[in-house]
Amino acid sequence: MNRRNFLASVGGFIAYETMRRNSLEAQTVPAFKFDPFTVGVASGDPAPDGVVLWTRLTSDTPVGVNEIPQVAIPVSWEVATDESMRHIVQHGSAVATPELGHSVHVEVAGLKPSSDYFYRFHCGGSTSRVGKTRTAPAFDAHPDHVRFGFASCQHYEDGYYTVHREMANADLDAVIFLGDYIYEHHVTYPPTRKHDVDLVVTLEQYRHHYAQYKRDPDLQACHAAHPWIVTLDDHEVTNNWAGMSTSPAHPEENFLQRRAAALQAYYENMPLRRSTYLGPKGLRLYRKVQYGQMAQFTVLDTRQFRTPQPCGDRVKPTCEERERPEGTMMGFEQEKWFNETLSASPTTWNIIANQVMVAQLDIPQNGVETHAMDMWDGYPAARKRMLDFLATRKPNNPVYITGDAHQTWVSDLKRNFDDPKSPIVASEILGTSISSGRNGVDHRPVSDMLMKANPHILYSHSRRGFFLCELTAKAMESQLWTTNEIEAPGGHLAKTASFVVEAGKTGIHQES
Ligand SMILES: [Fe+2]
């Protein structure tokens, strides 16, 4: 750690301690002259007895201007069994501090399992919109089904959040979001709609950026409709960052300061438990969320602890560094936790919420085999450790849900991808994107070439959308919903394909 980074981390610690003190001394504020709730409400990480409720006080002003008083502000909250908020079952007060961007993270407990609840916040004479959430089933319960949507990658400048509008209207137990919630950079072509800040680096800029994204009505509706289980990928900080450094292809000064600012802003803007935020140490994002005896969501963090991409990052032929046994995506502590968590899982389904493609992807270029070094393919030793564990310990029905690629890829994961007789140990559904990559196309010839070179990949598709998954005791059915139009408002989604994994059997199949 150099001197500047050391001083930044000391500064972060002082701010963190100040925040803890201020939270004890919240002041009441006069009525706001504006709506402080324009970034909406959210809920997350459901448990059988409760859920996290989130909001953040903001003023809709240019970056650098903030009309929220820079003091600790009490925000009251209510939970009801009806949308009109007449039958209040719990209420309380939380403190929004300037040190944490006036965010509010309430961990409600004492609710009933598998139940719908409604919630809202009050502050300074204003009242937020009403959000709906749903608790998880009791740990020993056997629900008939668990339904969830999953999605990732929503560059604001690439298009509208039509896909979120559709997910908001679906009957879901939860939404799983797999990263690239924001993009820190602007696009190099004419944008569909423009970021306020071209390059996001400081805490103030990240906060403003989240507020701009969250003022989108469709994104806000999807947060208000379902609890979300979130994890981050690279663009919440910067392209292809890895652990405590940037990608070797994108060196950057003062990265640790930017990383700390970005991770803090992420926590401030997501419905995460308060224990997620470790101050200057970063975030504890890897965790499990259990839905009765039906499903465990094992949520990974393959950014904060990974070793740098080998061979200089990007798409390259292999090199010695790529084969190194010490290469890791999760870090060794998280790898151990992963094995223990999956070993102890009692559920029929083990859904692994993961950022980047697990399946091997040989990319032939001019007769040479190349690999995308930022994906699990850049870390074959780490992938082998993970898939060997699944092959030998055999947790029930593991299925990876993945983001990042801005294209749908459905694959079987083999213990040895190069051996046609090698057993399938899990399946992977890589969902497309909400908006990143703009409208996409109906068919990419390169996809055919890649599927031929990688026979464990069963399906690809290049339009924007999300996956809607239903788990039962017998099967996991996953429907791909896509649209041809997100560069203009009002696009329609249609069911594009459907895939089944049968419980107790390996392999994913497309339904005719
Ligand atoms: Fe992305």
Side-chain angles (χ1 to χ4, degrees):
M1 183 181 280
N2 65 28
R3 187 178 148 275
R4 188 175 288 151
N5 288 332
F6 173 73
L7 290 174
S9 80
V10 171
F13 180 73
I14 292 168
Y16 184 57
E17 285 305 302
T18 310
M19 175 273 292
R20 287 193 179 282
R21 275 201 304 281
N22 281 357
S23 66
L24 303 172
E25 302 163 8
Q27 299 169 26
T28 48
V29 291
F32 293 112
K33 293 194 184 76
F34 54 90
D35 178 5
F37 291 114
T38 54
V39 297
V41 300
S43 69
D45 278 19
D49 69 336
V51 69
V52 181
L53 304 181
W54 172 94
T55 192
R56 191 181 139 215
L57 309 177
T58 60
S59 58
D60 187 4
T61 44
V63 64
V65 181
N66 186 356
E67 292 177 35
I68 302 290
Q70 292 304 292
V71 294
I73 299 171
V75 179
S76 62
W77 54 270
E78 299 169 311
V79 174
T81 53
D82 61 317
E83 194 167 7
S84 55
M85 303 298 291
R86 272 197 284 272
H87 304 287
I88 306 280
V89 291
Q90 282 205 39
H91 59 92
S93 182
V95 178
T97 67
E99 289 78 11
L100 286 176
H102 287 111
S103 59
V104 175
H105 299 79
V106 177
E107 293 176 53
V108 183
L111 301 179
K112 289 183 186 156
S114 296
S115 300
D116 287 351
Y117 289 97
F118 300 85
Y119 61 96
R120 69 182 173 188
F121 299 90
H122 305 282
C123 183
S126 300
T127 296
S128 75
R129 70 185 291 164
V130 172
K132 178 178 178 231
T133 192
R134 184 177 291 172
T135 52
F139 291 133
D140 60 356
H142 292 269
D144 292 342
H145 54 76
V146 170
R147 283 163 61 96
F148 64 95
F150 76 89
S152 64
C153 297
Q154 51 186 25
H155 202 308
Y156 186 88
E157 296 195 328
D158 271 359
Y160 293 89
Y161 294 158
T162 307
V163 180
H164 277 303
R165 189 194 61 214
E166 191 78 19
M167 265 201 295
N169 293 331
D171 177 21
L172 302 175
D173 293 297
V175 168
I176 322 291
F177 199 85
L178 300 166
D180 289 357
Y181 188 99
I182 58 163
Y183 281 71
E184 83 291 359
H185 65 273
H186 64 93
V187 296
T188 52
Y189 36 82
T192 299
R193 46 188 189 163
K194 186 103 186 60
H195 281 160
D196 291 342
V197 182
D198 273 346
L199 182 63
V200 180
V201 176
T202 67
L203 177 58
E204 183 180 55
Q205 289 170 335
Y206 280 108
R207 283 173 173 166
H208 183 92
H209 212 53
Y210 278 101
Q212 183 180 14
Y213 275 62
K214 281 170 170 288
R215 288 193 180 99
D216 178 279
D218 294 328
L219 173 58
Q220 210 172 103
C222 194
H223 274 297
H226 312 294
W228 284 37
I229 300 166
V230 302
T231 187
L232 55 65
D233 195 19
D234 56 333
H235 289 290
E236 283 85 351
V237 181
T238 186
N239 187 42
N240 287 14
W241 65 289
M244 299 302 273
S245 63
T246 54
S247 149
H250 310 282
E252 188 178 312
E253 270 194 50
N254 302 327
F255 172 67
L256 291 185
Q257 275 167 283
R258 186 187 195 180
R259 179 188 193 272
L263 295 180
Q264 179 177 338
Y266 182 75
Y267 167 73
E268 289 174 358
N269 285 282
M270 292 296 139
L272 289 162
R273 292 185 187 278
R274 290 191 296 271
S275 56
T276 308
Y277 181 61
L278 307 175
K281 285 188 197 152
L283 305 177
R284 168 73 189 227
L285 273 175
Y286 64 85
R287 63 197 188 280
K288 64 171 181 175
V289 179
Q290 189 180 335
Y291 275 71
Q293 295 293 300
M294 182 67 83
Q296 178 172 288
F297 294 93
T298 303
V299 182
L300 303 191
D301 172 352
T302 57
R303 285 289 163 195
Q304 281 191 91
F305 314 105
R306 69 153 84 185
T307 45
Q309 294 86 351
C311 320
D313 198 9
R314 303 200 167 115
V315 177
K316 299 256 182 71
T318 194
C319 70
E320 205 176 304
E321 193 189 2
R322 177 171 171 261
E323 310 300 332
R324 68 206 193 285
E326 65 273 23
T328 175
M329 276 294 230
M330 296 194 257
F332 290 98
E333 204 176 307
Q334 186 181 178
E335 285 189 20
K336 184 166 171 274
W337 168 87
F338 176 85
N339 292 358
E340 288 167 1
T341 302
L342 271 287
S343 295
S345 169
T347 57
T348 302
W349 295 96
N350 281 292
I351 308 301
I352 301 159
N354 163 64
Q355 285 82 13
V356 296
M357 190 171 193
V358 179
Q360 180 168 297
L361 185 68
D362 290 345
I363 307 170
Q365 293 196 75
N366 305 320
V368 179
E369 195 177 277
T370 64
H371 306 273
M373 299 299 171
D374 185 61
M375 306 196 308
W376 280 90
D377 237 9
Y379 302 75
R383 178 172 60 200
K384 183 171 188 316
R385 285 194 295 277
M386 181 168 73
L387 297 183
D388 280 351
F389 162 77
L390 295 179
T392 50
R393 183 60 185 80
K394 294 189 168 32
N396 294 334
N397 304 308
V399 179
Y400 287 79
I401 55 173
T402 301
D404 177 59
H406 311 171
Q407 158 132 2
T408 301
W409 295 105
V410 178
S411 310
D412 282 327
L413 302 181
K414 306 191 72 164
R415 192 163 183 185
N416 177 358
F417 289 99
D418 295 321
D419 176 2
K421 293 201 197 89
S422 181
I424 296 165
V425 297
S427 295
E428 178 178 40
I429 306 171
L430 194 161
T432 172
S433 58
I434 295 284
S435 59
S436 302
R438 301 186 277 180
N439 279 346
V441 292
D442 281 331
H443 182 241
R444 291 168 73 220
V446 70
S447 301
D448 298 340
M449 183 272 285
L450 290 171
M451 286 173 67
K452 204 165 156 227
N454 299 273
H456 50 275
I457 301 177
L458 313 173
Y459 180 86
S460 81
H461 192 264
S462 305
R463 294 288 193 182
R464 307 288 77 87
F466 77 107
F467 267 94
L468 195 162
C469 304
E470 182 172 278
L471 303 170
T472 66
K474 286 194 174 146
M476 172 178 183
E477 190 197 346
S478 303
Q479 298 176 352
L480 171 64
W481 286 74
T482 66
T483 175
N484 294 347
E485 181 60 88
I486 54 117
E487 291 174 44
H492 293 282
L493 276 85
K495 190 168 122 181
T496 310
S498 183
F499 304 88
V500 171
V501 180
E502 289 177 57
K505 294 185 184 169
T506 53
I508 187 161
H509 307 282
Q510 186 173 356
E511 282 186 315
S512 50

